[in-house]
Amino acid sequence: MQVTGTGFGEHFSAGTLLLRAGDLDEALTHFKAVYSSAEEAGAADLMAASLCEIAWTCFKMGDPEQGLECAIGAKWLWRRLGNAEEIARALAVEAFLFLDLGFGDEAFDLSGEALELAQSLDAPAILAFALNVRGVVLSVCQESELALSLLEQAVNLARVGGNTAAEAFYTLNLGFAHSKMAELAAKLGEDERLADQRTLAIAQSTAAAGLAEAAGDLWTLRVALCNGAEFLSADGRNDEAISLLDRWTNVPGEASSSLHAHHLYTRGLVLFAVGQYRQAETACRDALALAESAGQIDHQVNAAQALSRILEAMGDTAAALGMHRLYHNLFVRQSGEAVRRRARVEEIRTEADRLRARAAELADQALSDPLTGIANRRSFDQILDRLAGNPLSVAIVDLDNFKLVNDRHTHIAGDAVLQRVARIMVDQIATHGHVARLGGEEFALIFPEAPLATAAAFCEGVRVAIGNADWDKLTPGMKVTVSIGVASGDGMRPTGELMQLADSRLYLAKSGGRDRVVAEEPLASRHAG
């Protein structure tokens, strides 16, 4: 995505490079710093982008709770900014996080929403990402045949787009889908299908590793090597599995605790399969200790289960029984963890709703003029930016001799005049345009798609309504009039130039006697020069 602000693009790209290099702790720290800078600068798009990358980094680190909070925040910000492509991406990231938390129903719904939105856009990269997450969710939900088609589409889109890192990740997940089909074939006793699906799972994981290495995506490389080792070992090809795990060890940089634990107990299971029980025990005990220190209950369960089998095979019945009890206790904790995670998710949602409501309130306050309640200068500028490139007319409205109103009738009366002028303009313009207070006694009007004559007619209505209002109700003898300059453009002219033209015509209205609308240059001015 494109990010705004001087130097922001470079900082954001640096975080992306850290993430791809597998330096997840540094990437997380970096994206949090970028978010803080963006918040201070008021760069909402960079805030949203940083939150989404924080969420994605947390997913790769195995910290879905922190990631979910950020993904929800990113999704809300992108919706407020109206960026459909990034909304689809945030939905897909949120689906991955819910899946990691063990909430398949939520992941299913979110991945469907992401894919539906992505399919409505002309954005192949976003579509590929959405197809990918939908495919992974379907694989976990035992719908791997449906998943294969989606994942193959994602791989092809990434390949055509020349995004090797994305192609590696989607190919990795394609291998995962084939492994789930192999598991199903094993349960059904379909030996031929089992062999075919294992072969495909190994081939895709190997291909993913090659693509990831070429792209410098070390996180995907590590996952692909571990997955490939698992699938090879299940197929009885343990020497090849150990070779992949050795290759994993030689990948540069520090792996996250989640990936390291996965590697250790995978190595333990492969060593167990070839009868190297003592080495297998050491690897699985290291995996258990690492997972315990990182608080990763899922990896603790897997490591304890592997250890109980290894100790039993070694003939250490007492130790095997003790480890099985630990495995059982961890399994019970894992079940309770699902309940705790559900409660935490609801807490995150409630907190997000509260923060969104407060943020919306603050945003509305920041975009409204506190005296008149209409749009302020910041809001006016945002509307102009949004309409840039489209035909529109603008007008600048200035109260005539307003200083005399304040001097003769007090500032309290002056504030009341400003409030009433704002109400009159809103009533006159209605749904045909936008009214804003630029500051002091100066207001502005925007008329989208309106030609000059139409805008001038509305402005004349505003001038007459203000001049004919019963100002005696505020202060006896008070008279209020306005001067207005109007300009129009076909979308090719910068809005800043239109405002300058409207301002110059306001000056002509003032110098020409006030209480009038000027929408064209005087004839002499048009012929001059």
Side-chain angles (χ1 to χ4, degrees):
M1 66 152 292
Q2 296 295 317
V3 292
T4 59
T6 304
F8 280 158
E10 291 81 358
H11 288 304
F12 192 86
S13 298
T16 303
L17 291 174
L18 287 168
L19 186 58
R20 182 171 294 182
D23 198 344
L24 303 184
D25 288 331
E26 281 297 316
L28 185 63
T29 300
H30 191 89
F31 282 125
K32 285 181 176 180
V34 174
Y35 175 83
S36 296
S37 298
E39 187 176 33
E40 185 177 342
D45 58 345
L46 185 60
M47 288 169 62
S50 298
L51 281 174
C52 202
E53 292 307 307
I54 291 170
W56 191 234
T57 305
C58 288
F59 164 73
K60 290 188 170 185
M61 293 177 74
D63 185 5
E65 289 181 16
Q66 182 185 175
L68 182 61
E69 198 165 358
C70 294
I72 291 173
K75 179 178 68 176
W76 178 78
L77 273 173
W78 284 127
R79 279 180 170 158
R80 193 168 182 86
L81 292 168
N83 190 320
E85 291 184 18
E86 294 301 333
I87 294 168
R89 175 171 165 75
L91 284 166
V93 171
E94 189 179 357
F96 266 118
L97 291 162
F98 266 110
L99 194 64
D100 207 25
L101 284 164
F103 302 147
D105 290 345
E106 286 87 346
F108 185 87
D109 292 341
L110 286 163
S111 64
E113 188 180 350
L115 181 55
E116 184 177 359
L117 179 55
Q119 287 172 330
S120 70
L121 306 170
D122 183 19
I126 295 296
L127 177 58
F129 192 61
L131 286 165
N132 169 67
V133 69
R134 185 64 168 175
V136 173
V137 171
L138 287 171
S139 293
V140 172
C141 295
Q142 304 300 318
E143 295 288 351
S144 294
E145 288 191 19
L146 292 174
L148 288 177
S149 173
L150 300 182
L151 290 166
E152 285 167 356
Q153 290 179 59
V155 170
N156 288 333
L157 282 170
R159 184 179 299 130
V160 169
N163 190 334
T164 306
E167 185 184 353
F169 183 50
Y170 306 155
T171 303
L172 168 74
N173 292 326
L174 186 56
F176 171 74
H178 282 297
S179 76
K180 299 301 285 187
M181 292 187 72
E183 289 177 10
L184 179 61
K187 289 178 183 177
L188 297 175
E190 299 174 352
D191 294 341
E192 185 175 347
R193 189 180 180 205
L194 168 61
D196 289 342
Q197 292 302 320
R198 271 187 183 159
T199 298
L200 288 168
I202 292 166
Q204 296 294 352
S205 298
T206 303
L211 288 164
E213 191 166 32
D217 188 340
L218 303 188
W219 182 87
T220 300
L221 174 59
R222 285 190 171 99
V223 177
L225 291 173
C226 247
N227 285 3
E230 284 187 31
F231 305 153
L232 284 165
S233 183
D235 202 41
R237 297 158 63 180
N238 291 298
D239 288 344
E240 293 175 68
I242 290 174
S243 177
L244 287 187
L245 293 171
D246 288 342
R247 187 175 161 195
W248 189 102
T249 304
N250 293 323
V251 173
E254 279 292 319
S256 68
S257 59
S258 178
L259 289 184
H260 199 186
H262 183 204
H263 166 256
L264 284 169
Y265 70 71
T266 301
R267 180 177 288 276
L269 288 174
V270 175
L271 291 169
F272 173 59
V274 296
Q276 297 183 27
Y277 296 157
R278 187 61 64 189
Q279 295 93 322
E281 179 192 3
T282 299
C284 286
R285 286 195 183 278
D286 288 345
L288 181 60
L290 181 60
E292 185 176 6
S293 65
Q296 294 165 332
I297 186 70
D298 296 343
H299 287 327
Q300 290 180 64
V301 169
N302 291 332
Q305 185 181 34
L307 269 171
S308 66
R309 292 171 55 197
I310 293 167
L311 291 168
E312 184 178 2
M314 292 172 67
D316 194 341
T317 306
L321 181 60
M323 188 56 64
H324 186 76
R325 285 175 181 153
L326 176 60
Y327 161 69
H328 176 74
N329 290 336
L330 288 168
F331 185 80
V332 171
R333 275 181 53 196
Q334 188 182 39
S335 302
E337 184 73 5
V339 176
R340 188 201 65 77
R341 285 177 173 177
R342 173 68 66 182
R344 176 60 183 143
V345 166
E346 293 308 316
E347 183 183 326
I348 289 170
R349 282 173 166 162
T350 300
E351 180 66 10
D353 288 341
R354 188 188 69 77
L355 290 174
R356 278 199 297 269
R358 178 58 180 156
E361 179 185 343
L362 290 173
D364 289 342
Q365 291 174 2
L367 296 175
S368 299
D369 174 54
L371 177 64
T372 63
I374 63 174
N376 62 11
R377 181 59 187 255
R378 178 185 293 182
S379 179
F380 173 79
D381 289 340
Q382 288 186 8
I383 295 169
L384 274 187
D385 287 344
R386 196 163 63 240
L387 295 173
N390 298 295
L392 79 159
S393 294
V394 296
I396 299 179
V397 182
D398 192 80
L399 274 67
D400 296 326
N401 299 312
F402 186 68
K403 184 176 184 301
L404 295 177
V405 173
N406 284 328
D407 291 346
R408 293 175 182 173
H409 306 289
T410 76
H411 286 278
I412 294 175
D415 286 349
V417 168
L418 293 171
Q419 290 169 336
R420 189 168 183 190
V421 165
R423 287 198 301 272
I424 291 171
M425 286 194 291
V426 169
D427 290 342
Q428 289 293 313
I429 302 304
T431 60
H432 300 285
H434 307 275
V435 183
R437 184 184 177 201
L438 299 184
E441 66 269 28
E442 194 170 70
F443 295 82
L445 307 173
I446 303 175
F447 301 95
E449 305 289 341
L452 185 63
T454 301
F458 273 111
C459 289
E460 181 63 18
V462 165
R463 185 193 69 79
V464 171
I466 291 172
N468 291 341
D470 185 3
W471 296 101
D472 281 340
K473 289 183 179 180
L474 284 179
T475 301
M478 179 183 285
K479 178 68 175 174
V480 178
T481 62
V482 294
S483 299
I484 306 175
V486 192
S488 184
D490 60 3
M492 302 301 292
R493 194 171 196 171
T495 54
E497 287 187 14
L498 278 185
M499 288 296 292
Q500 289 178 357
L501 182 57
D503 193 53
S504 69
R505 289 175 180 174
L506 171 64
Y507 174 78
L508 291 173
K510 291 283 190 181
S511 61
R514 298 185 176 85
D515 190 20
R516 66 193 60 210
V517 176
V518 174
E520 294 184 353
E521 303 298 321
L523 192 60
S525 297
R526 279 182 276 167
H527 288 302

